[in-house]
């Protein structure tokens, strides 16, 4: 049981290059998320998915696209990388979050992160 | 104004000390509340959920005050291994909103 895995772990890009980050989970979770973490900014949600074939925008979606063709995979794409996208990217997955206050809490499990530098 | 606000610290405390972290959130409709722990250059992991009635897990106690929109985490008898960043997290429908974290450094 690998949990949440991310590929690659490190990457250096030049401005304007494209790349795809892969997130995979083997816990049969419906929900998957992509975050970026920058010093002093905390974790910010880029895009998320509440099920296979569905995606939604988070707090900072510009410059990124996502796809969830299979339940266990969530891909994050950068079409034309910019230095402002230098960051640590975390993927996470969970069972559906409770909609009712005080309801059952479902933990988000995170991958180990991808460190991306855009020159 | 950030949706979840925390004191960034760092809090530098000796082993055995008691330390308290505070957090405020702006969305009164938030459903659930958590503390996550993040070690240096690692991924965040759930530390504990927070309930209005309070929740204690060994040396850790978390408290929620919905009226004041305030969350707290108390760590008693601090250990060197408690050194980490503690993230206050609020759930809004299908999303978790993370605070920027409070860094704790426990020294011998």
């Amino acid at each position: 049981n690998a949990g949440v895995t991310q590929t690659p772990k490190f990457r250096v890009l030049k401005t304007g290059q494209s790349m795809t980050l892969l997130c995979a989970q083997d816990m049969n979770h419906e929900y998957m998320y992509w975050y970026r973490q920058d010093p002093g900014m905390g974790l910010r949600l880029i895009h998320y998915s509440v099920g296979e074939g569905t995606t939604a925008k988070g707090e900072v979606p510009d410059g990124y696209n996502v796809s969830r063709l299979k339940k266990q995979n969530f891909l994050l794409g950068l079409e034309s990388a910019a230095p402002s996208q230098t960051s640590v990217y975390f993927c996470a997955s969970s069972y559906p979050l409770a909609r009712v206050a005080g309801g059952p809490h479902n933990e988000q499990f995170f991958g180990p992160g991808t460190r991306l530098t855009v020159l | 104004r950030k949706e979840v606000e925390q004191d960034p610290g760092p809090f530098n405390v000796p082993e055995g000390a008691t330390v308290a972290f505070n957090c405020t959130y702006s969305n009164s409709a938030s459903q659930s509340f958590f503390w996550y722990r993040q070690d240096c250059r690692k991924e965040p992991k759930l530390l504990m959920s927070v309930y209005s009635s309070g929740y204690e897990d060994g040396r850790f106690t978390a408290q929620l005050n919905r009226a004041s929109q305030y969350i707290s985490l108390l760590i008693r008898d601090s250990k060197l291994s408690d050194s980490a960043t503690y993230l206050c997290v609020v759930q809004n429908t299908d999303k978790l909103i993370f605070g920027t974290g409070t860094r704790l450094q426990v020294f011998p």
Side-chain angles (χ1 to χ4, degrees), chain A residues 31 33 35 37 40-43 45 48 50 90 97-99 101-102 105 107-108 110-112 115, chain B residues 2 31-32 34 36 38 41-44 46 49-51 66 87 91 93-96 98-100:
Chain A
Y31 287 23
Y33 305 81
Y35 297 91
Q37 188 172 36
M41 301 295 292
L43 279 157
L45 183 65
Y48 65 103
V50 299
F90 286 103
L97 300 184
R99 296 293 187 96
H105 298 167
E107 178 180 354
Q108 273 194 7
F110 284 80
R115 283 168 172 74
Chain B
K2 291 181 181 174
Q31 290 104 331
S32 302
F34 311 89
Y36 275 67
Q38 187 173 25
R41 301 181 71 81
K42 298 285 189 179
E43 71 272 24
L46 179 66
S49 301
V50 188
Y51 304 92
R66 279 192 180 271
L87 306 173
Q91 179 197 340
T93 57
D94 293 322
K95 296 177 284 189
L96 296 187
F98 288 77
T100 54

Side-chain angles (χ1 to χ4, degrees), chain A residues 9-113:
Chain A
K9 288 186 169 52
F10 303 92
R11 186 72 186 268
V12 178
L13 289 178
K14 294 181 180 177
T15 297
Q17 286 185 316
S18 63
M19 78 164 295
T20 301
L21 283 67
L22 170 64
C23 176
Q25 52 94 4
D26 61 3
M27 295 174 281
N28 203 32
H29 287 161
E30 284 85 359
Y31 287 23
M32 295 188 75
Y33 305 81
W34 275 108
Y35 297 91
R36 61 178 289 175
Q37 188 172 36
D38 304 291
M41 301 295 292
L43 279 157
R44 293 182 293 169
L45 183 65
I46 304 171
H47 286 281
Y48 65 103
S49 168
V50 299
E52 184 178 323
T54 70
T55 63
K57 293 181 180 179
E59 180 186 357
V60 289
D62 293 342
Y64 305 95
N65 56 73
V66 288
S67 64
R68 183 102 182 265
L69 299 180
K70 293 183 179 181
K71 186 177 183 179
Q72 64 268 34
N73 295 338
F74 195 28
L75 304 178
L76 177 71
L78 286 72
E79 290 186 349
S80 180
S84 61
Q85 293 178 303
T86 293
S87 188
V88 180
Y89 292 85
F90 286 103
C91 175
S93 71
S94 74
Y95 291 116
L97 300 184
R99 296 293 187 96
V100 176
H105 298 167
N106 286 315
E107 178 180 354
Q108 273 194 7
F109 292 86
F110 284 80

Side-chain angles (χ1 to χ4, degrees), chain B residues 68-86:
Chain B
S68 302
Q69 295 180 204
Y70 173 93
I71 306 161
S72 64
L73 176 67
L74 184 75
I75 305 176
R76 290 179 297 276
D77 189 22
S78 297
K79 311 291 185 191
L80 294 176
S81 57
D82 294 334
S83 296
T85 296
Y86 291 84

